[in-house]
Amino acid sequence: ELKSVDAAEQQENKERITQTLRNYGITIKKIEATVGPTITLYEIVPKAGIKIARIQGLENDIMLSLAAIGIRIIAPMPGKGTIGIEVPNEKPQIVSMHSVIASKRFQEEHKMKLPVAIGRTITNEVFTFDLAKTPHLLVAGATGQGKSVGLNAILTSLLYKKHPAELKFVLVDPKMVEFSIYKPLLKHYMAAMPDQDEDEIIITDCQKVINTLNSLVIEMENRYQLLMTAKCRNLEDYNEKFVNRKLNPERGHRYMPYIVIVIDEYGDFIMQAGKEVERPIQRLTQKARAVGMHMILATQRPDVKIVTGTIKVNIPTRI
């Protein structure tokens, strides 16, 4: 592992923080450093009887003494009884997608239904979450903040983890270039209309988006119908029953893969079509998760004009 922060820099920062606080009459019992890829966290334990607010008020003074670009004081650290000071490293490391996907943590992940590895935490551990639990995801941020990179990270980790029979994607991309690298996965991973042209597997046109979303709503209703006849409450139970041969394919039962719907630049479609795009999305976010359909919306500013209240309520997970 490349340690980007050498011991000297750490020691120096520790001394500087202690000294700065001492100048303002705040004594510290101990100080410890945790090194992450881009940030080092210094945890301090102040002497008894020192008000936290005083330390928080010294944010700028500590920043000055460390000559740092910007620091963050977390007071107090949740569940720890210390105060955290986050200082950016002088030479931040780049966390590569390969290192995250090749990590033991991600490779040996079996509990999650749709595991997504998104980077490393401040303590250098691989951070994974389960898309099936989130149920839906809202990714927001201005141009150039890395929304599409984030979406690509999510797609890549799912592709590495799931067999094509278990997972289908519906990719919507008004920019036309972000998802074009996934076109070769046509046979494997993309959910498409029966009569769809190979070049149109990544949907860029507004009218097609509306048609696709409406057909996804129909697919959702059909899946619920199958769940009802199978007396199952969710997709996992249903597929387990199906695999164990407890359901009859002649009655229309089939193995149901997860469907992950990714819409990049969602605001673009709202401007073009408004209600027509909104209605199916509202229905999908409300009730598609039990049948294994998960939605990821990326937009620049998730204000009420773009992501209406009903949709926002049903997308609890935000990046």
Side-chain angles (χ1 to χ4, degrees):
E1 278 290 297
L2 232 172
K3 276 277 176 275
S4 59
V5 177
D6 52 1
E9 187 186 332
Q10 253 184 64
Q11 194 52 42
E12 211 172 291
N13 281 352
K14 276 186 190 173
E15 280 163 16
R16 280 181 182 164
I17 290 174
T18 318
Q19 188 56 47
T20 310
L21 292 173
R22 197 179 295 133
N23 291 346
Y24 291 94
I26 295 172
T27 330
I28 289 175
K29 279 203 291 203
K30 73 171 203 264
I31 180 163
E32 281 175 359
T34 313
V35 182
T38 57
I39 288 175
T40 304
L41 172 69
Y42 296 93
E43 285 183 68
I44 57 177
V45 181
K47 229 171 100 181
I50 284 170
K51 284 202 167 136
I52 289 182
R54 279 181 64 194
I55 297 180
Q56 270 174 320
L58 294 176
E59 192 163 328
N60 292 344
D61 302 291
I62 296 171
M63 206 155 104
L64 177 70
S65 75
L66 293 174
I69 306 158
I71 64 169
R72 189 166 82 117
I73 294 184
I74 312 162
M77 294 276 291
K80 265 196 169 167
T82 59
I83 292 172
I85 300 176
E86 290 182 357
V87 182
N89 299 339
E90 271 181 42
K91 301 188 192 75
Q93 267 174 285
I94 290 176
V95 178
S96 70
M97 194 72 209
H98 173 268
S99 73
V100 175
I101 282 182
S103 68
K104 204 168 166 195
R105 169 100 187 258
F106 185 68
Q107 292 285 328
E108 293 176 5
E109 178 55 69
H110 297 306
K111 286 197 191 80
M112 295 184 183
K113 309 282 190 296
L114 294 172
V116 172
I118 211 151
R120 288 180 185 276
T121 60
I122 182 160
T123 50
N124 235 345
E125 289 159 22
V126 173
F127 181 73
T128 48
F129 69 91
D130 188 356
L131 188 66
K133 281 211 171 67
T134 59
H136 310 287
L137 185 63
L138 181 64
V139 185
T143 309
Q145 297 277 303
K147 286 193 301 294
S148 302
V149 177
L151 293 180
N152 280 325
I154 293 170
L155 290 174
T156 310
S157 21
L158 290 172
L159 289 171
Y160 268 94
K161 218 52 182 157
K162 285 285 164 213
H163 186 272
E166 301 173 282
L167 174 67
K168 297 279 178 255
F169 287 114
V170 175
L171 299 182
V172 178
D173 174 26
K175 282 197 254 176
M176 305 187 188
V177 290
E178 276 311 330
F179 295 154
S180 55
I181 47 172
Y182 300 108
K183 273 187 188 161
L185 300 174
L186 177 76
K187 296 277 180 290
H188 289 293
Y189 283 103
M190 304 305 170
M193 310 270 181
D195 53 354
Q196 203 160 11
D197 195 27
E198 291 216 357
D199 286 342
E200 289 162 6
I201 190 73
I202 296 185
I203 309 153
T204 54
D205 167 59
C206 194
Q207 194 50 49
K208 286 207 184 77
V209 172
I210 294 168
N211 297 344
T212 307
L213 286 171
N214 286 328
S215 60
L216 282 166
V217 171
I218 295 167
E219 165 72 8
M220 172 181 80
E221 301 290 356
N222 293 345
R223 284 183 167 207
Y224 267 114
Q225 208 63 43
L226 287 175
L227 253 65
M228 192 177 76
T229 53
K231 298 185 178 60
C232 291
R233 290 191 57 178
N234 56 30
L235 187 85
E236 284 87 58
D237 300 351
Y238 176 90
N239 280 341
E240 202 175 310
K241 248 188 182 180
F242 187 82
V243 172
N244 295 334
R245 310 204 165 189
K246 290 182 180 160
L247 298 174
N248 186 356
E250 285 172 15
R251 293 224 182 122
H253 288 296
R254 53 188 163 76
Y255 182 87
M256 292 197 276
Y258 286 99
I259 297 180
V260 173
I261 306 139
V262 185
I263 303 184
D264 199 5
E265 296 299 356
Y266 167 66
D268 198 52
F269 294 117
I270 292 296
M271 284 170 196
Q272 284 179 46
K275 281 276 183 286
E276 283 180 276
V277 174
E278 220 167 85
R279 203 172 293 114
I281 286 187
Q282 199 169 322
R283 294 197 59 194
L284 287 166
T285 51
Q286 269 168 351
K287 51 184 224 186
R289 93 192 156 121
V291 287
M293 296 164 73
H294 301 283
M295 186 156 251
I296 300 174
L297 299 181
T299 178
Q300 295 190 349
R301 232 188 94 196
D303 57 6
V304 181
K305 289 194 194 92
I306 308 291
V307 186
T308 50
T310 333
I311 294 176
K312 207 178 258 186
V313 163
N314 290 312
I315 309 188
T317 315
R318 283 85 188 260
I319 297 182

